[in-house]
């Protein structure tokens, strides 16, 4: 697109200006080189275009649109799997946990587990926290359809996994007080804390999570095939989404026992990854069609209710982009810049 700098000035942290009243026009396809001594502002100009920074004064326009009205980084990340750009890499380093003690917290309802998850993530409780339903816990820990069905039917409806991690010095003492706090919190919320349930050990489950899935892949074990519906939302809305799928499945005659659920808090619990797995026999045309129908209709309703499909592949792309035409058009422009020949994952997302 056409890039225009309109009297752009910029300074780092209020210091002396790195750029002053820059006026610049770059036409589509034009190659421009910036030359000058160190500190002249070459890198600063380049960083303003992908909006790593915003101008202190003036505007940077892309095809007439002020970059402050859009987020190029979000547009690029929204094209996951179709655009690849690496500028630098950040690594988060922390102490390796010297000791871990794992727990399963159960209830017949999802709501109290969500309330506890909100609290634990808000206080940044040490360790892993996520919620599964009985179907997915059974699928992860058992191998055959018969074993999965037997365990699923004996498990509570909802299970939260929580690990108490002993990072840094004195890991034993840290795990001890974390466990004491967790036990008290579980009582406060009227829930039950387990080290194992129905022959499933929390520690063994934690060990499985740290390894690649053994064959067959865990989502294929119950029926041989699966459809996923996954999106970002807030934890508090997950019971509503679960209710939508449950009601729709009952209406269409889809077995409730063939639906898996996974809820993972992210960003200190301010949002979460919500995932529904619909298991079916791919050798059965009737089951395949029924699952596809349920997937499409459930995703459609969930999008209307606020589900954000951050990785909308397959049929989810139509749902995600139908009310975001401006975003789709901008992503296509970004795609044209970085992958003009449509080499990376052709036909995916909105690039059909």
């Amino acid at each position: 697109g056409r890039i225009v700098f309109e009297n752009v000035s910029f300074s780092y942290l209020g210091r002396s200006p790195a750029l002053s009243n820059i006026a610049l026009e770059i036409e589509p396809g034009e190659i421009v080189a910036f030359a000058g001594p160190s500190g002249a502002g070459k890198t600063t100009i380049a960083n303003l275009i992908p909006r790593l920074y915003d101008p202190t004064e003036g505007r940077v326009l892309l095809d007439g649109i002020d970059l402050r009205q859009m987020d190029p980084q979000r547009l690029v990340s929204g094209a996951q799997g179709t655009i690849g750009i690496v500028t630098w890499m950040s690594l988060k380093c922390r102490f390796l946990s010297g000791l871990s003690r794992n727990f399963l917290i159960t209830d017949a309802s999802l709501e109290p587990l969500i309330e506890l998850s909100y609290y634990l993530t808000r206080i940044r409780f040490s360790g892993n926290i996520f919620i599964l339903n009985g179907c997915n816990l059974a699928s992860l820990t058992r191998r055959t359809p018969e074993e999965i069905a037997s365990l699923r039917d004996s498990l509570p409806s909802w299970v939260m996994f929580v690990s108490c991690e002993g990072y840094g010095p004195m890991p034993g003492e840290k795990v001890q007080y974390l466990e004491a706090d967790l036990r008290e919190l579980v009582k406060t919320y009227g829930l039950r804390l387990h080290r194992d349930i129905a022959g499933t050990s929390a520690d063994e489950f934690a060990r499985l999570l740290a390894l690649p899935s053994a064959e067959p892949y865990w989502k294929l074990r119950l029926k041989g095939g699966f459809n996923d519906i996954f999106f970002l939302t807030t934890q508090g809305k997950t019971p509503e989404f679960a209710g939508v799928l449950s009601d729709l499945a009952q209406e269409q005659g889809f077995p409730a026992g063939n639906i898996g659920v996974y809820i993972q808090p992210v960003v200190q619990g301010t949002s979460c990854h919500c995932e529904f797995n619909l298991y079916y026999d791919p050798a059965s045309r009737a089951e395949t069609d029924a699952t596809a129908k349920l997937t499409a209709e459930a995703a459609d309703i969930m999008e209307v209710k606020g589900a954000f499909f951050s990785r909308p592949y397959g049929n989810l792309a139509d749902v995600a982009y139908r009310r975001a035409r401006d975003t789709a058009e901008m992503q296509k422009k970004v795609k044209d810049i970085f992958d003009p020949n449509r080499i990376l994952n052709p036909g995916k997302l909105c690039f059909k």
Side-chain angles (χ1 to χ4, degrees):
R2 185 170 184 265
I3 298 171
V4 176
F5 280 59
E6 288 187 348
N7 301 319
V8 169
S9 297
F10 178 80
S11 62
Y12 293 94
L13 301 177
R15 300 170 182 167
S16 299
L19 299 174
S20 296
N21 297 319
I22 299 295
L24 173 67
E25 296 183 9
I26 304 174
E27 298 297 331
E30 184 178 3
I31 299 175
V32 176
F34 298 103
S38 177
K42 305 182 297 297
T43 300
T44 301
I45 289 176
N47 285 342
L48 290 174
I49 296 173
R51 206 185 167 199
L52 299 180
Y53 304 102
D54 286 332
T56 307
E57 297 178 6
R59 301 190 302 168
V60 181
L61 307 177
L62 175 61
D63 285 341
I65 300 175
D66 191 330
L67 289 183
R68 284 173 291 199
Q69 298 177 14
M70 55 177 279
D71 186 350
Q73 296 182 70
R74 175 65 64 84
L75 290 169
V76 172
S77 66
Q80 294 181 35
T82 67
I83 293 176
I85 303 173
V86 177
T87 54
W88 61 79
M89 179 174 65
S90 297
L91 293 177
K92 179 180 179 180
C93 299
R94 67 181 183 183
F95 287 108
L96 181 66
S97 176
L99 181 65
S100 178
R101 192 165 173 81
N102 306 289
F103 297 92
L104 301 170
I105 303 169
T106 62
D107 200 73
S109 300
L110 178 56
E111 286 81 357
L113 292 175
I114 291 295
E115 291 179 12
L116 176 59
S117 177
Y118 262 130
Y119 185 82
L120 292 174
T121 51
R122 186 170 66 249
I123 65 174
R124 301 192 179 187
F125 190 86
S126 172
N128 298 307
I129 301 168
F130 59 86
I131 298 171
L132 300 167
N133 71 342
C135 180
N136 268 359
L137 179 57
S139 296
L140 281 160
T141 57
R142 298 296 186 268
R143 293 291 186 89
T144 68
E146 295 75 20
E147 292 173 341
I148 292 170
S150 176
L151 178 58
R152 176 197 64 200
D153 295 342
S154 63
L155 286 170
S157 299
W158 298 98
V159 181
M160 174 188 285
F161 174 84
V162 179
S163 65
C164 299
E165 304 289 345
Y167 296 118
M170 304 177 68
E173 288 80 352
K174 289 182 179 179
V175 169
Q176 187 175 5
Y177 73 67
L178 285 171
E179 179 180 344
D181 288 346
L182 182 61
R183 289 186 179 278
E184 188 64 30
L185 284 169
V186 167
K187 289 181 182 178
T188 301
Y189 284 88
L191 301 168
R192 299 183 64 185
L193 187 72
H194 309 265
R195 289 281 288 151
D196 62 81
I197 49 174
T200 300
S201 163
D203 287 338
E204 178 61 19
F205 183 46
R207 188 190 69 80
L208 290 174
L209 294 175
L211 300 172
S213 173
E215 294 296 335
Y217 178 57
W218 70 272
K219 288 185 181 180
L220 299 174
R221 294 172 185 172
L222 179 60
K223 299 284 290 182
F226 64 92
N227 279 2
D228 290 334
I229 306 173
F230 55 90
F231 49 86
L232 296 177
T233 183
T234 58
Q235 294 187 75
K237 288 185 68 67
T238 54
E240 178 184 3
F241 289 122
V244 165
L245 184 57
S246 177
D247 292 344
L248 198 58
Q250 184 175 10
E251 177 185 314
Q252 298 184 8
F254 191 91
N258 292 346
I259 299 176
V261 187
Y262 167 60
I263 300 168
Q264 173 70 68
V266 296
V267 196
Q268 282 78 55
T270 57
S271 56
C272 72
H273 171 93
C274 181
E275 179 174 327
F276 298 100
N277 315 112
L278 309 181
Y279 302 114
Y280 67 97
D281 180 1
S284 167
R285 172 53 60 184
E287 286 194 25
T288 301
D289 292 344
T291 306
K293 181 175 185 291
L294 177 59
T295 301
E297 293 188 13
D300 190 71
I301 295 173
M302 291 174 184
E303 190 272 338
V304 172
K305 290 183 175 293
F308 176 65
F309 294 93
S310 59
R311 289 177 287 163
Y313 288 98
N315 293 333
L316 294 180
D318 296 332
V319 175
Y321 286 105
R322 66 182 178 184
R323 292 195 292 181
R325 297 189 185 278
D326 290 344
T327 298
E329 289 306 313
M330 186 59 71
Q331 285 187 263
K332 289 176 182 177
K333 291 182 179 180
V334 175
K335 180 77 165 175
D336 288 338
I337 294 171
F338 296 106
D339 183 21
N341 296 322
R342 298 292 199 269
I343 295 173
L344 300 173
N345 281 349
K348 304 294 184 182
L349 301 174
C350 60
F351 310 118
K352 297 181 179 179

